[in-house]
């Protein structure tokens, strides 16, 4: 059943025609009501606009990602009735395609070479503890570029960072309106690969959305602050036209804390075991943010 939390006619000029969007869960836990809400927005917008949905498994964090969580994601999507157009669950199970970031290492390495050729990549041996807490815009962790001029080799055991120079990124969020962000003041120089060799979320997502041709990004407001830096990364790689962004409300478990994977009683698999139907789960996710149905 489609959402009616937005007026497509009023937004027609701000949304891409026949978009390619994506649903991109991380297999570090079970799907929960927050994921269901995101999936509802993704599929509802794609279907209303005659677009397509790509399934991407964001397993860049190899230490926390688990095969059983990925299998659970596929099972839950089937049960909920969310059927991807690209990287279908049947094709993934049969081994005919891979939607996984862990299988895209050569693409990320090529992207780093592109940035390194511009003199923008450097090695960093700073620990997470050395980041300046709460001094970036919005109280984010901030890296001030300590290793920029040290000329450390890009060797195993060190992080790789992208130099983020001053400059404002402007974009129109379909739901939230005009936005301006300055990544150099929010977070400083971005980590693109950690010292264990894992590609970071900010980098992998920006590369994937560009490489896969995603032109509509539908996600929660908790990721709004990441948008400017992802636009910057993609432009440095050669993306000429940024995607359209739609940041939807979050399901909150308290006034200041969003629902997370640690909230096991909202996991789809748990609700299924309690006898909930797929439609009941989807209605509960919508109701949690006060979204009505058409």
């Amino acid at each position: 059943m489609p959402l009616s939390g937005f007026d497509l006619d009023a937004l027609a000029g701000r949304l891409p025609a026949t978009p390619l969007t994506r649903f991109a869960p991380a297999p570090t836990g079970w799907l929960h009501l927050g994921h269901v809400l995101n999936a509802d927005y993704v599929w509802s917008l794609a279907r209303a606009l005659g677009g397509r949905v790509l399934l991407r498994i964001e397993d860049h964090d190899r230490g926390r990602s688990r095969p059983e969580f990925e299998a659970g994601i596929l099972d839950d999507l089937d049960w909920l009735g969310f059927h991807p157009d690209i990287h279908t669950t049947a094709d993934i199970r049969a081994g005919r395609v891979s939607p996984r970031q862990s299988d895209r290492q050569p693409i990320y390495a090529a992207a780093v070479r592109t940035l390194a050729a511009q003199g923008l990549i450097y090695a960093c041996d700073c620990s997470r503890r050395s980041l300046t807490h709460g001094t970036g815009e919005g109280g984010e962790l901030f890296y001030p570029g300590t290793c920029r001029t040290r000329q450390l080799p890009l060797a195993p055991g060190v992080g790789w960072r992208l130099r983020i120079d001053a400059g404002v990124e402007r974009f129109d969020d379909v739901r939230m309106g005009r936005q301006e962000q300055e990544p150099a003041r929010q977070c400083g120089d971005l980590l693109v690969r950690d010292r264990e060799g894992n590609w970071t979320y900010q980098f992998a997502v920006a590369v994937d959305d560009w490489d896969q041709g995603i032109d509509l990004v539908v996600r929660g407001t908790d990721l709004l602050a990441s948008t400017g830096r992802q636009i910057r990364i993609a432009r440095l790689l050669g993306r000429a036209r940024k995607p359209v962004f739609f940041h939807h409300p979050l399901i909150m478990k308290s006034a200041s804390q969003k629902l997370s994977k640690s909230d096991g009683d909202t996991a789809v698999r748990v609700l299924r075991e309690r006898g909930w139907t797929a439609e009941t789960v989807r209605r509960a996710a919508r109701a949690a943010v006060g979204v009505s149905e058409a």
Side-chain angles (χ1 to χ4, degrees), residues 77-110:
L77 288 176
D78 286 344
W79 181 75
L80 288 163
F82 295 122
H83 303 298
D85 302 291
I86 301 174
H87 299 154
T88 68
T89 57
D91 283 344
I92 294 168
R93 291 191 184 93
R96 290 188 289 268
V97 298
S98 171
R100 304 174 191 91
Q101 289 180 328
S102 59
D103 289 330
R104 294 174 58 78
Q105 304 297 313
I107 294 170
Y108 303 139

Side-chain angles (χ1 to χ4, degrees), residues 17-231:
T18 62
L20 175 59
T21 187
R22 49 31 171 216
F23 181 65
T28 56
W30 308 111
L31 286 191
H32 58 68
L33 283 181
H35 296 109
V36 177
L37 179 68
N38 177 242
D40 232 2
Y41 271 103
V42 167
W43 264 271
S44 293
L45 278 168
R47 297 300 178 245
L49 296 166
R52 296 173 297 158
V53 177
L54 175 147
L55 175 61
R56 183 166 74 216
I57 303 297
E58 295 194 341
D59 62 346
H60 54 274
D61 187 342
R62 293 173 295 176
R64 295 173 57 221
S65 296
R66 297 285 184 271
E68 59 267 30
F69 293 143
E70 180 184 312
I73 288 170
L74 302 182
D75 290 344
D76 287 343
L77 288 176
D78 286 344
W79 181 75
L80 288 163
F82 295 122
H83 303 298
D85 302 291
I86 301 174
H87 299 154
T88 68
T89 57
D91 283 344
I92 294 168
R93 291 191 184 93
R96 290 188 289 268
V97 298
S98 171
R100 304 174 191 91
Q101 289 180 328
S102 59
D103 289 330
R104 294 174 58 78
Q105 304 297 313
I107 294 170
Y108 303 139
V112 164
R113 288 194 295 271
T114 297
L115 297 170
Q118 301 173 56
L120 298 175
I121 297 293
Y122 64 89
C124 172
D125 63 2
C126 296
S127 68
R128 184 176 176 83
R129 283 189 220 123
S130 68
L131 272 64
T132 310
H133 287 261
T135 59
E137 287 186 353
E140 292 191 55
L141 287 175
F142 181 83
Y143 183 75
T146 307
C147 291
R148 266 193 187 189
T149 60
R150 293 181 62 198
Q151 297 184 323
L152 299 172
L154 292 171
V158 298
W160 297 1
R161 287 193 181 273
L162 170 65
R163 193 182 80 216
I164 299 292
D165 294 326
V168 175
E169 299 295 338
R170 298 177 176 86
F171 62 96
D172 287 310
D173 182 85
V174 173
R175 176 175 166 268
M176 304 184 71
R178 187 70 168 168
Q179 304 289 319
E180 292 190 359
Q181 297 175 357
E182 188 169 359
R185 292 171 59 88
Q186 288 176 292
C187 57
D189 291 349
L190 280 169
L191 192 68
V192 300
R193 200 181 83 152
D194 68 21
R195 61 183 60 206
E196 282 78 40
N198 294 305
W199 302 103
T200 64
Y201 165 77
Q202 302 289 353
F203 180 70
V205 165
V207 173
D208 287 344
D209 284 345
W210 172 55
D211 179 71
Q212 293 172 333
I214 303 300
D215 57 4
L216 175 61
V217 174
V218 182
R219 59 191 184 188
T221 53
D222 56 327
L223 292 170
L224 180 65
S226 296
T227 306
R229 68 202 68 170
Q230 292 172 12
I231 290 171

Side-chain angles (χ1 to χ4, degrees), residues 230-251:
Q230 292 172 12
I231 290 171
R232 175 76 60 88
I233 293 169
R235 188 171 65 253
L236 291 171
L237 288 171
R239 182 164 192 167
R241 185 173 183 177
K242 65 177 76 78
V244 173
F245 292 91
F246 185 110
H247 288 87
H248 61 73
L250 301 175
I251 298 178

